[in-house]
Amino acid sequence: MQPFEINVRQSELDDLRRRLAQTRYAPDLPGVGWSRGVPQDYLRELVTHWLTSYDWRQAEAELNRYPQFTTTIDGQNVHFLHVRSPEPGALPLVLTHGWPGSVAEYLDVIGPLTDPVAYGGRAEDAFHLVIPSIPGFGFSGPLTEPGWHIGRVAAAWAELMRRLGYDRYGVQGGDFGSPISLAVGRLEPKQVVGVHCNMLTVFPSGDPAEMAALAAGDQERLAGLARFDADGSGYRKLYSSRPQTVAYALNDSPAGHLAWILERFREWTGAETPDQLIHRDRILTTVMIYWLTQTAGSSAQMYYEITQAQQAITGNADGDMLDGYREDALEVPLGVAVFPFDCFNPVRAFADRDFSTITHWTEFDRGGHFPALDVPDLFIDDVRAFFRTVRSASDR
């Protein structure tokens, strides 16, 4: 393991400024708002902010306040933050992001989770945090070969925790981080004390009786999932089939890449504009990490790999895109946080059918796909609450 510090060359920042200043905006239709994608006036506003007000060096310094390392696992460079708690009894916890996320997603929760006393909490809720970048994402890029699917990442996380000397730990994740965390729990049931997910993908079995038993609220959740598949998942279908083609556009145009990610932040937070709930500088830092590491294309490969794995297991690429690895039952306790504006909201009956170890289930009235960013208070409280129930297992 090698210590790592982010230190972007000034020439790269100068090149970015040149590209932003020379952005060629696509004409848009009057009066359509967000209904057909990101409006030009909003994109112009954020590009102007990026050029005139956003400070990458400040973001870089904020990330560098935390110990970072790189190591090679299974032939792939893996970057991670390793932030130890001052509390001797802290529980090790792996936090895993998804797309379009990064390790920067957790900047607002690192302090309260590692040092709860300093934030008005209790010492017994402290965590030693391990926050890795998924292979092909950010500072864990570029990919050295194909084949980095959910199961392979989970095995890499298990190896990372072994190298760090942690033999009992928890795992937490949303988006890709959810199936990765579940896969770690399946792979290492003796080491993992519990899995916490802020996105759980479960689907109908096809049994009419199961559907007939659903309450009206659950029927609406299924309708929302159908709307997402029909109208909100174009990015996923493109990434799942031809990730390299779109990579050229995203890797060449910072404004285009910003628009691509802005749409996700708006649709998955329920906000009128993406920066209504999440500060625009936090959004730009996420885009910057993809841009500076040139991992727009390599991060998209995960969708392709999952689709191929899903097809190999079930013979069908449709359906549960994010977790095609359910051959083995999860044996460890599972906690689920449900945020109303996430793109996937699980039906509890389906979750209980697929997972027999759910011991914690919380439904919130605010928050979305990026809870560590838009509702960090709820995220922190729920992570603490779930792992409070399983911490004693770490002493076995």
Side-chain angles (χ1 to χ4, degrees), residues 109-360:
V109 304
I110 290 174
L113 290 178
T114 57
D115 192 4
V117 173
Y119 292 82
R122 307 186 309 177
E124 54 266 35
D125 286 330
F127 297 93
H128 299 307
L129 294 182
V130 178
I131 311 176
S133 299
I134 297 173
F137 287 69
F139 302 104
S140 286
L143 287 174
T144 57
E145 61 182 2
W148 277 96
H149 49 67
I150 295 296
R152 191 172 177 184
V153 177
W157 278 196
E159 174 61 21
L160 175 61
M161 296 304 278
R162 278 192 286 271
R163 293 185 188 184
L164 291 173
Y166 294 132
D167 56 2
R168 298 292 287 169
Y169 55 90
V171 287
Q172 195 287 328
D175 195 86
F176 286 141
S178 173
I180 289 170
S181 298
L182 291 166
V184 176
R186 293 187 185 100
L187 186 66
E188 300 283 356
K190 294 183 179 180
Q191 284 71 40
V192 174
V193 300
V195 179
H196 183 276
C197 296
N198 56 269
M199 187 189 80
L200 188 71
T201 55
V202 289
F203 291 85
S205 65
D207 181 355
E210 182 181 64
M211 295 296 292
L214 293 181
D218 288 336
Q219 294 282 2
E220 175 53 33
R221 287 189 177 182
L222 283 180
L225 181 59
R227 287 193 296 271
F228 168 76
D229 186 60
D231 184 59
S233 63
Y235 74 95
R236 190 187 78 180
K237 293 172 182 177
L238 180 57
Y239 272 4
S240 299
S241 57
R242 300 293 185 272
Q244 189 58 38
T245 302
V246 70
Y248 298 115
L250 298 176
N251 205 55
D252 190 60
S253 170
H257 201 165
L258 173 60
W260 187 247
I261 288 180
L262 279 176
E263 187 178 271
R264 299 301 98 216
F265 272 90
R266 179 180 185 269
E267 295 192 1
W268 295 348
T269 59
E272 185 65 29
T273 60
D275 59 340
Q276 186 179 55
L277 297 176
I278 301 172
H279 196 284
R280 57 180 56 183
D281 285 356
R282 282 282 188 251
I283 297 173
L284 287 171
T285 295
T286 296
V287 179
M288 285 289 287
I289 289 173
Y290 284 98
W291 176 263
L292 294 169
T293 59
Q294 297 192 50
T295 52
S298 58
S299 61
Q301 302 297 326
M302 176 66 85
Y303 287 91
Y304 185 88
E305 299 291 353
I306 290 175
T307 301
Q308 295 302 306
Q310 177 82 8
Q311 195 160 21
I313 292 170
T314 67
N316 182 4
D318 296 328
D320 186 356
M321 251 281 297
L322 295 180
D323 191 2
Y325 303 90
R326 289 186 177 163
E327 316 92 278
D328 300 322
L330 182 70
E331 299 175 10
V332 303
L334 172 61
V336 182
V338 181
F339 295 95
F341 296 107
D342 205 342
C343 52
F344 287 93
N345 269 321
V347 172
R348 179 67 192 264
F350 298 168
D352 287 335
R353 178 202 64 207
D354 289 350
F355 298 94
S356 62
T357 60
I358 296 175
T359 60
H360 176 94

